[in-house]
Amino acid sequence: MRARLLGGVDYAASLRGLRHRRVNFSAAEVSAPAWHFDTRRHHIALERPGPPAPGGAWESARELIRDYEFSPPEIVRAVYDRRSPLLGRDMLLEGRFHGARFHMGVRVTAVTDEVRGDSQRVWGWSYETLEGHLERGRLSYEVVKDLRTGVVWFVIRGFSRVSPDVGPLLRLGWRLFGRRTQLRFYARCGARLRALVRLRMAGVGATPNTIGESRLVLVPSGTRPGIGDRLGVRWHHPST
């Protein structure tokens, strides 16, 4: 990866550049203690017991999770092609840390839509990191309803480690701030989704921003480039 002063970003070209990148890890190398393993459960809402209510909290959470609206915009934003199927979709993530911006590619490699056992209705998806990402790993986002109690949960599961391809400066930064930011991201995702579900249930929603060609969207909705996006440093893969 290398640094450059912030300027205009050609999101369409950057997203196209992900097509030929591969996942940057193999399952065989994932093991403790070198890798972090995380599970976070966030209480979102309470419905009546039984299947998800039409237009209820579980369905609202599913739509928000599908569109990546739950991501805290002060930490991670994303660009993707709205026409691409969810499974196999490439996403360009923009990690944000003070004046620095980190552009990183991920690919959706699994979609879950099932009744788990006889007591949970589950929908979600997972992405894996691509070549050029600061990290190596996988994250899964699921909305889960307990059919017996009616409780709706947002469950985040993942494993990760810093990529060995990053330079010494980024490696030091990750050692000092990376894990702390990662855990804050998990907490903020849960709080944000809970708040968005309440707004959606009250009839308040937002429309994702389009970028250039209307097929590209910037999420979460309501985010706009500001002066901080023009002044600072962006880290990116040499091929972008």
Side-chain angles (χ1 to χ4, degrees):
M1 305 199 48
R2 64 189 180 198
R4 66 183 176 194
L5 291 179
L6 286 175
V9 179
D10 188 338
Y11 288 107
S14 296
L15 196 58
R16 286 195 301 270
L18 301 180
R19 293 176 183 169
H20 304 294
R21 294 194 195 179
R22 298 173 297 178
V23 171
N24 63 357
F25 70 94
S26 66
E29 62 187 299
V30 179
S31 63
W35 293 70
H36 293 293
F37 294 83
D38 296 302
T39 299
R40 296 291 186 276
R41 289 168 55 88
H42 302 282
H43 181 278
I44 299 301
L46 180 65
E47 291 188 348
R48 291 182 180 274
W58 186 89
E59 288 195 353
S60 296
R62 180 187 61 186
E63 293 173 3
L64 291 162
I65 292 170
R66 178 197 63 200
D67 297 339
Y68 203 66
E69 290 286 357
F70 60 85
S71 183
E74 74 276 13
I75 302 176
V76 178
R77 303 179 184 187
V79 175
Y80 60 84
D81 186 337
R82 70 168 76 204
R83 300 180 308 179
S84 61
L86 179 58
L87 184 60
R89 172 180 292 168
D90 289 337
M91 300 173 61
L92 180 69
L93 304 185
E94 182 180 78
R96 302 165 70 86
F97 185 77
H98 296 293
R101 304 291 181 261
F102 303 89
H103 282 172
M104 306 164 288
V106 297
R107 180 169 297 134
V108 178
T109 54
V111 175
T112 301
D113 187 4
E114 65 185 13
V115 175
R116 196 168 288 166
D118 60 355
S119 62
Q120 292 185 336
R121 180 69 174 92
V122 183
W123 188 92
W125 54 277
S126 307
Y127 66 59
E128 297 181 355
T129 54
L130 302 178
E131 294 167 327
H133 201 291
L134 287 173
E135 295 180 81
R136 307 169 84 185
R138 171 187 172 114
L139 272 179
S140 299
Y141 304 107
E142 293 181 340
V143 55
V144 180
K145 179 175 180 180
D146 188 314
L147 302 177
R148 297 166 300 185
T149 66
V151 175
V152 177
W153 298 91
F154 179 33
V155 182
I156 303 174
R157 293 188 179 89
F159 53 82
S160 63
R161 65 169 299 179
V162 65
S163 171
D165 297 330
V166 303
L169 181 61
L170 278 179
R171 186 173 294 276
L172 175 62
W174 181 262
R175 185 174 301 171
L176 294 174
F177 305 109
R179 182 60 174 164
R180 186 187 314 168
T181 301
Q182 190 176 45
L183 296 177
R184 184 163 64 93
F185 172 78
Y186 296 151
R188 286 284 293 117
C189 283
R192 179 173 168 83
L193 181 64
R194 184 164 50 247
L196 289 174
V197 167
R198 289 174 180 169
L199 288 172
R200 183 70 65 91
M201 298 295 294
V204 180
T207 302
N209 304 313
T210 58
I211 301 175
E213 305 170 65
S214 59
R215 63 188 179 84
L216 298 186
V217 293
L218 168 65
V219 291
S221 300
T223 56
R224 290 287 190 275
I227 189 170
D229 298 315
R230 297 189 296 271
L231 302 174
V233 175
R234 174 173 290 113
W235 291 89
H236 66 120
H237 192 274
S239 63
T240 63

